[in-house]
Amino acid sequence: MIKVYTKPDCPQCKMTTMFLIRHHVKFLNINVSENPQYAQSLHDKGYRSVPIVVTECEEWSGFRPERLKAVVSRQREVLR
C-alpha cells in the first residue's frame, strides 16, 4: 500500500494526492498534523517537508510527477 504523508493547506500535498486519485492509484493519506507520531518518525529519517510518498520500492518528499508516473506505470504492470 502506498502511503502519502501530508499536512492541510499544503499545495504539493494536494497535487500529489490528486495525481494519484486521477490515475486510480489506491493510497493511504496520513495527515501528520493529526498524527504527530508519524511526523517525529519522518523527521528522524531526515525528512523536513511534506508530502512524503512511501511505496514498496522507494520513498521521497515533494511533488515529483516523474516518480508518480513511474508508480502508475508499475501499478498497471501488476494489474496485467
Side-chain angles (χ1 to χ4, degrees):
M1 170 66 65
I2 296 169
K3 295 178 184 175
V4 182
Y5 297 90
T6 62
K7 282 187 176 181
D9 302 321
C10 164
Q12 288 191 6
C13 298
K14 182 167 260 177
M15 290 187 308
T16 298
T17 58
M18 290 307 298
F19 185 98
L20 294 170
I21 290 167
R22 267 189 244 121
H23 290 89
H24 309 287
V25 175
K26 292 182 181 181
F27 66 96
L28 178 62
N29 186 10
I30 302 168
N31 182 332
V32 295
S33 296
E34 295 173 358
N35 300 283
Q37 71 275 19
Y38 292 111
Q40 184 60 50
S41 109
L42 293 166
H43 190 267
D44 292 346
K45 290 175 85 173
Y47 289 108
R48 301 293 183 256
S49 63
V50 289
I52 299 164
V53 179
V54 178
T55 74
E56 59 197 28
C57 306
E58 61 185 333
E59 55 187 64
W60 69 86
S61 67
F63 176 62
R64 305 273 182 97
E66 292 306 316
R67 285 188 162 184
L68 291 168
K69 287 176 188 173
V71 167
V72 170
S73 183
R74 279 195 304 270
Q75 185 180 38
R76 287 184 182 151
E77 287 297 317
V78 169
L79 295 175
R80 288 184 183 176

